[in-house]
Amino acid sequence: MTTDTTRNIGIMAHIDAGKTTTTERILFYTGKSHRIGEVDNGEATMDWMEQEQNRGITITSAATTCFWKGHKINIIDTPGHVDFTAEVERSLRVLDGAVAIFCAVSGVQPQSETVWHQANKYNVPRIAYVNKMDRVGADFLSVIEEMEKKLGASPIPVQIPIGRESDFAGIIDIVLMEEIRWDPESLGTEFVRVPISSENQPLALKWRQHLIDTLSSRSEEMTDLFLEGKEIPPELIRSVLRTETIAERLVPVFCGASLRNLGVQPLIDGIIDFLPAPEELPPIVGHHVGKDREVKVERSLEGPALGLVFKIQNDREAGPMCYIRMYSGTLKSGVAVFNIDKKKRERINRLLRMHAAKYEQIDSVSAGDIAVVIGFKSAQTGDTIGTEGFQVMLERMHFPEPVISVAIEPKTLSERDKLKEVLDLLSREDPTFFWKEDAETGELIISGMGELHIDVLVTRIIDDYKVGAKVGKPQVTYRESVSKEVLHTEQYSRIVAGKENVAQITLEVKPLERGTGNRFTSEVSKDKLPQPFIDAVKRGVEGGLTSGVVYGYPAYDIGVTLKDAVYNQLTSTELAFEAAGSIGLDNACRKAEPVLLEPVMQIDVTCPKEFMGEVINGITMRGGMVQKIDSKAAVELIHAEAPLERMFGYSTALRSTTQGRGTYSMQFSHFQKKIEKAVAGVK
Ligand code: GDP
Ligand code: MG
């Protein structure tokens, strides 16, 4: 690789596989070689590492920059918990490659599967790292096999461990055909490359052969050398591996034991060698607001400024810190930019680059890079930042629908305003967290993706923001939809302050495919009904859709088309058309056989074999359906779907059926027609 390139990478792992430990080691070794150069005796380095651990910076910073052999690596934090899939997805959006960490003992676990498939969805090239080679039961090759079987991946070992468990001593680099051995006295900072011992020769040759066999058909140059029986240079192997990795056809596999400081430096080399630099990627696709069509934006430094806010963290002193990933052009500190989603000019007061131990003020951030903007007032996670002259909106992030809501009440009335402020801050940070004030009761209602999600946020409100608050019982947020296509004409006529307000519209209301969302279109020409009046109908319809039509829940997957309108220059008003839109929608939906929809959750339970029967029973009794059971050596993985409504308190139930040995994760899957009480809730 040429020098001074950038990598935007994420480290993804099942909980406990060693993401935190490995990240800390990466920051330690990169910091050591380029930033903390003066720290060079063992004790001092250890101190530094412990301080870092205590401060927990790798967890709290959404993107941390470090340097390795002249290259810049931005490590984007990806949360491990599958209940926060939205968090995982939004970080996958902005990274260009990832290191997938697996535990050498437990292998590919259900959550790693979920995250792996998400990474496929976002086309993220990956390298893999099999960690904990020092643990009892470590089995490198079995992890490789599981990657093939469970993930459908094509792993290709580029290293082979020397020994395992307490005998894990180093690594055979099968690209360079050398052994790498670490000096345990030096915290793993010192390591040597030595010729492969005669004892390890057969193993090394076997895997070298495997590597060459896999790669030779993928490069003409390599095929030729191979056929001529010539030595294949490591640079060629690396470059073919790089191409195949970036194209997501192969996943190079590394190994190590991060806790023992073994294996991390070659992994960092692998990040540089095999994962793409931003400018190598195809142009980014966005939506040109003015031209109303898709455009491709080159990832060039000279282009118009274009970036995406992918995370907001509130800092007590600095205020909202907006993490931005730049795709094109440059943003400068002290300059006004344009928030394309909010249609608002915003000012960059300061730009920061976050490092492991500190942050650094910078003047500008350019295409391919990541920085923190201080000063944005209206930005939310997912907003595109650009210029007024070049309004291209990057694809919105898709966040799951909130499925659970709960009333929250301040301990004292005087804390109510503070609570509202905090709810505002938190919902800017987290696009799957919403709050509203009930128009009738004045109650504050918060909603999110599950019990755990709400718990975490309520804890933050109380502990971090010191607002006394208590919450009620969680409720499922239903949706409503229609099941029939209807045509409805609404005539509206009111006399307000002696003036006539008249409107007539014909709406077509029909069900859309599940998961589409609501859609309003107009087929009425602007000659027949002036644009401001069409907009008024749209406002009326959209307002009606959000607040619920028949049962009072938000509408879902309803398509509304304005088919016809009667307009009178003298008596028609925008107000009348807006009202006709909202009342007309209501009446049309009543005719269109309204249905109530309930959220169905995907549940993955892991439990020891002896509890399987009871666990399945429990799920069935809650109205759930078991879809698949995977048997592992000692445990069963049960995949099921069940209505959220019946899953409240499941963690307690599972704990008691499995004597505390079962674990589960739950995430929103889809909405489904709720049958029993379909009519009971009609207002
Ligand atoms: P995360 O949940 O993926 O962030 O995992 P952590 O980095 O917090 O590690 C989980 C546990 O595994 C901790 O107790 C670590 O000390 C331990 N651990 C991490 N890496 C290794 C390793 O290479 N070998 C061993 N034996 N334990 C490790
Ligand atoms: Mg961790």
Side-chain angles (χ1 to χ4, degrees):
M1 272 308 292
T2 48
T3 48
D4 297 341
T5 58
T6 299
R7 299 292 177 282
N8 294 308
I9 62 141
I11 298 181
M12 42 192 246
H14 182 274
I15 274 173
D16 258 12
K19 191 175 90 171
T20 303
T21 312
T22 308
T23 309
E24 266 162 5
R25 295 305 187 271
I26 293 177
L27 293 174
F28 173 63
Y29 294 124
T30 54
K32 175 151 182 66
S33 42
H34 286 269
R35 298 272 143 171
I36 325 286
E38 67 278 13
V39 183
D40 56 4
N41 75 61
E43 274 166 272
T45 45
M46 194 61 191
D47 279 354
W48 183 82
M49 206 139 76
E50 269 170 12
Q51 263 176 30
E52 279 321 297
Q53 269 162 359
N54 292 339
R55 215 176 302 161
I57 193 104
T58 59
I59 324 270
T60 57
S61 188
T64 307
T65 304
C66 57
F67 292 87
W68 185 247
K69 302 184 179 171
H71 303 280
K72 182 198 291 162
I73 304 176
N74 293 316
I75 304 177
I76 296 146
D77 187 44
T78 59
H81 207 292
V82 89
D83 272 13
F84 305 119
T85 10
E87 289 268 330
V88 182
E89 300 221 12
R90 78 152 152 238
S91 45
L92 288 179
R93 243 311 270 289
V94 294
L95 46 80
D96 305 326
V99 178
I101 302 186
F102 299 97
C103 167
V105 182
S106 44
V108 177
Q109 293 180 294
Q111 291 186 8
S112 340
E113 280 181 62
T114 313
V115 179
W116 189 271
H117 296 309
Q118 282 168 339
N120 285 344
K121 184 169 135 195
Y122 286 95
N123 295 315
V124 177
R126 270 148 282 174
I127 61 178
Y129 177 65
V130 179
N131 186 34
K132 304 200 189 182
M133 278 310 303
D134 62 317
R135 266 190 61 193
V136 175
D139 189 343
F140 180 70
L141 294 180
S142 125
V143 180
I144 303 268
E145 207 173 290
E146 284 197 3
M147 286 179 69
E148 280 167 356
K149 284 213 181 106
K150 291 191 171 171
L151 306 175
S154 305
I156 176 91
V158 292
Q159 300 179 335
I160 295 293
I162 304 174
R164 64 160 89 164
E165 303 181 347
S166 55
D167 293 332
F168 177 56
I171 281 162
I172 305 171
D173 176 338
I174 53 176
V175 176
L176 287 175
M177 287 303 268
E178 284 171 351
E179 278 184 22
I180 310 175
R181 296 203 176 245
W182 277 264
D183 168 19
E185 300 290 294
S186 74
L187 280 171
T189 35
E190 307 285 328
F191 59 93
V192 286
R193 289 182 168 270
V194 292
I196 296 173
S197 69
S198 54
E199 187 193 348
N200 289 330
Q201 277 290 347
L203 186 67
L205 284 173
K206 176 179 160 206
W207 286 100
R208 169 72 171 201
Q209 193 61 44
H210 176 68
L211 178 68
I212 301 294
D213 286 349
T214 310
L215 295 183
S216 61
S217 61
R218 303 179 190 230
S219 141
E220 249 175 67
E221 199 181 343
M222 229 159 128
T223 317
D224 290 347
L225 288 174
F226 183 71
L227 291 177
E228 290 161 26
K230 287 199 182 127
E231 194 53 40
I232 298 171
E235 299 72 45
L236 180 59
I237 296 179
R238 272 200 212 106
S239 103
V240 179
L241 263 174
R242 179 179 178 75
T243 311
E244 294 299 295
T245 308
I246 295 176
E248 291 173 82
R249 287 189 291 259
L250 286 178
V251 178
V253 187
F254 297 75
C255 61
S258 298
L259 190 66
R260 311 264 166 253
N261 307 305
L262 296 174
V264 179
Q265 298 94 333
L267 177 67
I268 314 176
D269 286 338
I271 291 171
I272 304 296
D273 285 343
F274 303 129
L275 295 175
E279 61 275 12
E280 288 174 276
L281 298 167
I284 181 123
V285 177
H287 184 88
H288 196 291
V289 177
K291 296 179 189 155
D292 193 21
R293 64 174 168 81
E294 218 172 65
V295 288
K296 285 185 177 156
V297 183
E298 293 295 331
R299 295 168 187 262
S300 80
L301 298 175
E302 292 75 33
L306 189 66
L308 185 76
V309 176
F310 65 96
K311 174 96 184 175
I312 296 182
Q313 284 177 334
N314 289 301
D315 182 87
R316 226 160 290 216
E317 281 149 43
M321 300 173 60
C322 298
Y323 285 82
I324 188 166
R325 156 83 204 245
M326 293 302 292
Y327 290 95
S328 158
T330 298
L331 292 184
K332 287 201 173 72
S333 176
V335 167
V337 292
F338 200 65
N339 182 326
I340 293 158
D341 292 80
K342 301 286 181 294
K343 300 190 172 43
K344 268 193 186 148
R345 218 177 281 174
E346 289 261 37
R347 214 183 127 78
I348 300 177
N349 292 340
R350 287 202 291 158
L351 277 174
L352 307 178
R353 184 184 298 295
M354 311 303 287
H355 296 281
K358 60 174 193 289
Y359 64 82
E360 168 196 6
Q361 192 145 330
I362 51 177
D363 298 327
S364 65
V365 56
S366 296
D369 205 0
I370 285 169
V372 167
V373 176
I374 308 270
F376 283 172
K377 294 217 163 56
S378 63
Q380 257 183 317
T381 299
D383 285 356
T384 306
I385 304 298
T387 56
E388 262 173 292
F390 185 72
Q391 294 192 30
V392 166
M393 203 185 283
L394 298 169
E395 195 194 332
R396 296 251 4 131
M397 297 189 196
H398 299 290
F399 295 113
E401 308 273 339
V403 289
I404 189 172
S405 57
V406 53
I408 185 165
E409 204 185 314
K411 277 259 162 64
T412 61
L413 208 57
S414 59
E415 282 177 298
R416 192 180 160 89
D417 285 342
K418 175 117 188 269
L419 177 59
K420 288 192 342 189
E421 246 169 62
V422 172
L423 294 177
D424 247 348
L425 281 177
L426 290 175
S427 61
R428 274 184 66 186
E429 265 188 32
D430 179 350
T432 59
F433 175 69
F434 298 83
W435 75 279
K436 67 171 191 208
E437 200 165 355
D438 189 289
E440 282 158 35
T441 62
E443 246 181 329
L444 300 177
I445 311 282
I446 56 179
S447 47
M449 283 155 45
E451 270 179 297
L452 180 65
H453 184 214
I454 296 280
D455 276 356
V456 168
L457 286 155
V458 171
T459 308
R460 285 190 62 194
I461 293 170
I462 296 169
D463 293 352
D464 295 357
Y465 291 95
K466 312 273 181 246
V467 182
K470 53 177 193 266
V471 291
K473 257 178 75 166
Q475 311 275 327
V476 169
T477 52
Y478 297 101
R479 296 289 187 284
E480 57 181 84
S481 195
V482 294
S483 39
K484 207 175 87 179
E485 181 175 326
V486 294
L487 216 55
H488 170 81
T489 300
E490 186 70 35
Q491 277 177 313
Y492 180 91
S493 164
R494 270 305 128 86
I495 296 182
V496 180
K499 193 183 172 301
E500 261 189 308
N501 287 265
V502 177
Q504 180 177 324
I505 55 169
T506 300
L507 295 178
E508 179 197 80
V509 165
K510 65 175 178 196
L512 301 179
E513 202 182 315
R514 272 297 152 270
T516 317
N518 301 316
R519 193 181 293 148
F520 174 87
T521 40
S522 168
E523 287 177 4
V524 174
S525 72
K526 288 171 197 164
D527 304 329
K528 198 159 187 192
L529 186 66
Q531 190 62 42
F533 292 78
I534 297 179
D535 293 343
V537 176
K538 185 175 184 213
R539 271 200 305 280
V541 167
E542 284 178 347
L545 288 171
T546 52
S547 63
V549 183
V550 179
Y551 302 110
Y553 292 107
Y556 194 66
D557 298 341
I558 299 184
V560 182
T561 311
L562 177 61
K563 288 287 208 190
D564 198 9
V566 179
Y567 168 74
N568 181 314
Q569 235 174 350
L570 291 175
T571 57
S572 285
T573 59
E574 282 180 40
L575 206 70
F577 273 90
E578 186 171 338
S582 131
I583 300 168
L585 173 77
D586 227 272
N587 289 329
C589 286
R590 277 170 207 281
K591 288 194 220 165
E593 289 175 8
V595 281
L596 200 57
L597 303 176
E598 66 174 344
V600 174
M601 309 302 277
Q602 165 77 47
I603 298 144
D604 300 301
V605 184
T606 308
C607 69
K609 281 201 188 318
E610 62 260 44
F611 302 113
M612 183 171 84
E614 280 218 57
V615 168
I616 292 177
N617 245 340
I619 292 173
T620 319
M621 274 168 54
R622 288 170 180 265
M625 273 210 324
V626 173
Q627 293 168 315
K628 203 169 124 230
I629 300 171
D630 288 332
S631 297
K632 298 264 289 183
V635 294
E636 299 286 339
L637 306 179
I638 302 162
H639 306 276
E641 279 182 3
L644 172 62
E645 186 178 66
R646 309 274 303 270
M647 291 305 292
F648 287 138
Y650 185 65
S651 55
T652 320
L654 182 70
R655 223 175 297 133
S656 77
T657 14
T658 62
Q659 295 164 14
R661 292 170 61 203
T663 58
Y664 81 109
S665 70
M666 179 159 94
Q667 66 187 101
F668 171 72
S669 168
H670 60 276
F671 279 106
Q672 132 190 317
K673 189 167 159 183
K674 185 170 162 57
I675 300 157
E676 320 94 85
K677 294 187 228 153
V679 195
V682 180
K683 277 202 273 192

